[in-house]
RNA sequence: GUGGCCGUAGCUCACCUGGUAGAGCACCGGAUUGUGACUCCGGAGGUAGCGGGUUCAAGACCCGUCGGCCACCCCA
């Protein structure tokens, strides 16, 4: 019998790692709440047409990376490859767009790509979207919020902000024509990928890594020369607000973003700690998208961060708190009536001391082997029930960590108070 | 989709130029009839990813295949 494995690129997150994930999720949720953002929970599956119409027909995502399938009624559905489209769809569907909306969501996304460090087929993002604000202070708000988040997470020293404006759709169209015209004159100096992109997504050529292509780009027309007045002014204002808040950034004129719906401000937080997939958070404005998907002409802006990549950062920088041992108290017993006594006493102990993590030994074995498990569990205390304790309605409390403390046998009625007195303010104990 | 490296015990790895598997850690039991950590003793655990080929003989060599990692591409 062949054993069944998880799908390539879709990983299990084991208890060792989930501590770090929870730390990330808690911290993000707290920061978002402190700026007044509300959580929206969205389906993982949407109509395929939603993504085709928003992300762009000629993007790699739509052309070859979507997990699409026919529903039983023949309708084409797709596992969401990103979150913005679904969020916009929900905002339109539920008429949320009459007022400003500050929203966030969290969950899995799916793209059929070759897995590598920081990239998998099922990956997890936290996304943030704001609808209904056309002015650039919201651009700055989002960026400031992410900057605060990196500080809270303790990774701010290892991420850098890149910023650009890609102007309006018509700015970009004019620029695209100029760029294609220029590059067409140097066709044989371009690498193979860039030659292909000349016809599909010419702006992506700007961030090519090929030295020959980069040389050609030296003399290429600049997108910034094609921006209209409003785009220039808004971008200048974003920079001004960031300066005022002392958030450092670098303007990267090659920064374009892969999805079609972006316009004006785009930004990326990048790191050199993660190998080739160094973008940890990215986003931008998408003022035409709501209308494009059938809503009123409401401006939008948003970003997404990759949870896997942030977790890798936390790990690399040892920024997350050490994982807590799973137990505060480990309970051993000699079976039979001692087991019954332990069960009864522990239920009332859990009621009396909420939050105290009490692990009851299961699976039998000698006291010796049970004590070994107690030690391995990282628990601070072992509670011991044997025949003597049952006979005297008491329990033995043995300290496993403290130096110099003796084990004591207490009447059952006093155990809760005893443990309560000795609980540290921070109830978590450090394990392994 | 393309390329490079790699698949030996649960984990990290060894077995040198082919002679039918070994260590450390982890796990289980014991030394200590009801008490962990250190130490000592013992035990279990592998059809060497899978399939084919070369050979008297393959974990070692060759081909294929599946899987992993990293990079290209793409992007969070």
């Amino acid at each position: 019998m062949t054993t069944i494995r998880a799908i390539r690129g879709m990983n299990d997150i084991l208890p060792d790692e989930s501590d770090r994930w929870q730390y990330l999720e808690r911290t993000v949720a707290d920061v978002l709440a402190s700026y007044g953002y509300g959580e929206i929970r969205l389906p993982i599956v949407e109509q395929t047409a939603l993504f085709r119409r928003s992300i762009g027909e000629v993007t790699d995502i739509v052309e070859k990376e979507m997990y699409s399938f026919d529903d039983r009624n023949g309708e084409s559905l797709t596992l969401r490859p990103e979150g913005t489209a679904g969020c916009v769809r929900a905002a339109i569907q539920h008429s949320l767009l009459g007022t400003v909306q500050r929203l966030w969501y969290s969950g899995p996304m799916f793209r059929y790509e070759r897995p590598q460090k920081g990239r998998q087929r099922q990956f997890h993002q936290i996304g943030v979207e704001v609808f209904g604000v056309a002015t650039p202070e919201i651009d700055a708000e989002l960026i400031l919020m992410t900057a605060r988040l990196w500080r809270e997470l303790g990774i701010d020293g290892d991420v850098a902000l890149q910023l650009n404006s890609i102007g309006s759709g018509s700015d970009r169209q004019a620029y695209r024509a100029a760029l294609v015209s220029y590059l067409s004159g140097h066709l044989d100096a371009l690498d193979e990928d860039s030659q292909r992109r000349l016809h599909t997504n010419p702006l992506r050529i700007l961030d090519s890594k090929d030295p020959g292509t980069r040389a050609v780009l030296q003399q290429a027309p600049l997108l910034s020369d094609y921006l209209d007045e409003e785009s220039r002014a808004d971008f200048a204002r974003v920079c001004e607000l960031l300066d005022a808040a002392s958030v450092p950034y670098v303007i990267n004129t090659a920064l374009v973003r892969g999805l079609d719906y972006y316009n004006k401000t785009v930004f990326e937080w990048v790191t050199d700690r993660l190998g080739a997939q160094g973008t940890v958070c990215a986003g931008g404005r998408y003022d035409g998208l709501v209308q494009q998907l059938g809503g009123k002409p409401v401006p939008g802006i948003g970003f997404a961060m990759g949870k896997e990549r942030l977790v890798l950062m936390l790990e690399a920088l040892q920024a997350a708190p050490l994982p807590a041992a799973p137990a505060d108290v480990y309970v051993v017993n000699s079976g039979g009536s001692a087991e019954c006594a332990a069960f009864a006493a522990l239920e009332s102990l859990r009621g009396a001391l909420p939050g105290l993590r009490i692990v009851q030994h299961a699976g039998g074995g000698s006291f010796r082997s049970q004590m070994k498990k107690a030690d391995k569990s990282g628990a601070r205390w072992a509670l011991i029930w044997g025949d003597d304790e049952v006979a005297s309605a008491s329990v033995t409390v043995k300290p496993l960590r403290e130096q110099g403390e003796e084990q004591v046998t207490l009447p059952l009625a006093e155990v809760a108070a005893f443990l309560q007195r000795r609980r540290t303010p921070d109830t978590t104990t450090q394990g392994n």
Side-chain angles (χ1 to χ4, degrees):
Chain A
M1 193 175 81
T2 53
T3 56
I4 296 177
R5 302 175 43 91
I7 307 302
R8 173 198 272 246
M10 304 201 182
N11 302 138
D12 302 307
I13 296 162
L14 303 179
D16 271 6
E17 313 154 79
S18 59
D19 263 310
R20 217 174 268 120
W21 281 72
Q22 287 182 14
Y23 171 71
L24 171 68
E25 287 159 355
R26 266 201 316 275
T27 307
V28 174
D30 288 350
V31 169
L32 289 167
S34 77
Y35 283 78
Y37 285 67
E39 184 185 4
I40 182 168
R41 300 200 175 202
L42 301 162
I44 288 167
V45 182
E46 298 273 3
Q47 285 187 32
T48 300
L50 175 65
F51 302 115
R52 305 191 75 95
R53 276 160 58 180
S54 56
I55 296 169
E57 293 282 354
V58 298
T59 57
D60 277 30
I61 293 178
V62 168
E63 278 185 342
K64 50 194 189 202
E65 295 180 358
M66 294 204 300
Y67 279 91
S68 298
F69 59 96
D70 285 348
D71 199 357
R72 288 176 185 271
N73 63 8
E75 181 179 39
S76 179
L77 305 182
T78 294
L79 267 44
R80 62 182 186 192
E82 59 101 42
T84 301
C87 190
V88 170
R89 191 228 82 227
I92 296 170
Q93 183 177 333
H94 301 289
S95 307
L96 304 181
L97 297 172
T99 58
V100 171
Q101 295 288 339
R102 288 177 164 89
L103 304 171
W104 69 274
Y105 50 84
S106 175
M109 308 291 166
F110 301 84
R111 291 180 200 169
Y112 188 88
E113 295 185 277
R114 190 78 165 258
Q116 70 181 76
K117 188 179 177 73
R119 188 173 80 182
Q120 40 282 123
R121 290 181 176 178
Q122 176 177 330
F123 60 105
H124 300 80
Q125 289 186 333
I126 295 172
V128 176
E129 318 287 351
V130 177
F131 300 114
V133 182
T135 45
E137 71 273 20
I138 196 67
D139 307 34
E141 173 177 306
L142 288 179
I143 293 170
L144 258 49
M145 189 164 71
T146 53
R148 171 177 301 280
L149 178 61
W150 314 142
R151 264 179 273 132
E152 296 283 331
L153 289 171
I155 61 173
D156 51 310
D158 287 85
V159 291
L161 176 61
Q162 303 207 340
L163 204 59
N164 195 23
S165 174
I166 59 172
S168 68
S170 55
D171 296 344
R172 219 155 47 253
Q173 222 163 4
Y175 174 68
R176 181 181 291 123
L179 183 66
V180 169
S181 151
Y182 167 79
L183 291 175
S184 298
H186 302 270
L187 202 56
D188 35 352
L190 299 180
D191 63 284
E192 200 179 326
D193 281 321
S194 294
Q195 291 186 11
R196 174 178 53 78
R197 284 184 286 212
L198 202 52
H199 307 292
T200 56
N201 200 344
L203 296 196
R204 301 284 329 183
I205 298 173
L206 293 176
D207 56 14
S208 169
K209 291 169 184 167
D210 181 77
T213 300
R214 296 198 78 107
V216 172
L217 288 169
Q218 296 276 312
Q219 304 299 319
L222 292 174
L223 175 53
S224 51
D225 292 336
Y226 286 76
L227 301 185
D228 60 29
E229 263 322 297
E230 186 183 280
S231 293
R232 284 169 200 273
D234 286 358
F235 188 58
R237 181 63 176 164
V238 173
C239 294
E240 195 180 351
L241 290 167
L242 293 179
D243 291 336
S246 301
V247 173
Y249 55 89
V250 296
I251 294 174
N252 175 1
T253 54
L255 181 62
V256 289
R257 313 285 25 259
L259 283 51
D260 276 5
Y261 50 65
Y262 286 113
N263 70 317
K264 296 175 95 173
T265 308
V266 295
F267 67 94
E268 277 188 23
W269 287 95
V270 297
T271 179
D272 56 10
R273 304 296 299 252
L274 295 185
Q277 307 300 324
T279 302
V280 117
C281 171
R285 200 166 255 291
Y286 47 84
D287 289 338
L289 183 59
V290 174
Q291 188 168 28
Q292 191 182 320
L293 290 177
K296 295 188 173 139
V298 173
I301 180 169
F303 65 83
M305 53 192 123
K307 290 207 242 177
E308 281 82 0
R309 293 181 185 179
L310 288 168
V311 167
L312 284 172
M313 289 278 289
L314 292 174
E315 192 179 357
L317 299 173
Q318 302 191 329
L322 285 173
D328 298 312
V329 174
Y330 195 97
V331 182
V332 310
N333 71 76
S334 60
S337 59
E339 192 170 59
C340 294
F343 261 98
L346 291 172
E347 281 311 309
S348 72
L349 195 58
R350 288 192 179 96
L353 299 175
L356 189 72
R357 298 161 313 163
I358 301 171
V359 172
Q360 196 165 190
H361 177 79
S366 64
F367 264 112
R368 174 186 153 76
S369 69
Q370 292 190 42
M371 284 304 297
K372 283 188 174 183
K373 299 264 170 51
D375 185 52
K376 291 247 164 60
S377 77
R380 203 174 148 196
W381 309 99
L383 257 49
I384 302 166
W385 263 278
D387 296 337
D388 297 348
E389 283 83 358
V390 173
S392 60
S394 60
V395 62
T396 298
V397 182
K398 173 164 180 155
L400 298 174
R401 299 283 170 266
E402 262 82 349
Q403 304 278 359
E405 272 218 65
E406 296 296 314
Q407 77 175 41
V408 290
T409 299
L410 301 168
L412 275 182
E414 291 174 24
V415 179
F418 178 88
L419 290 174
Q420 178 62 36
R421 241 178 293 130
R422 271 152 239 266
R423 267 171 102 170
T424 45
D426 174 16
T427 59
T428 60
T429 48
Q430 303 287 304
N432 357 321

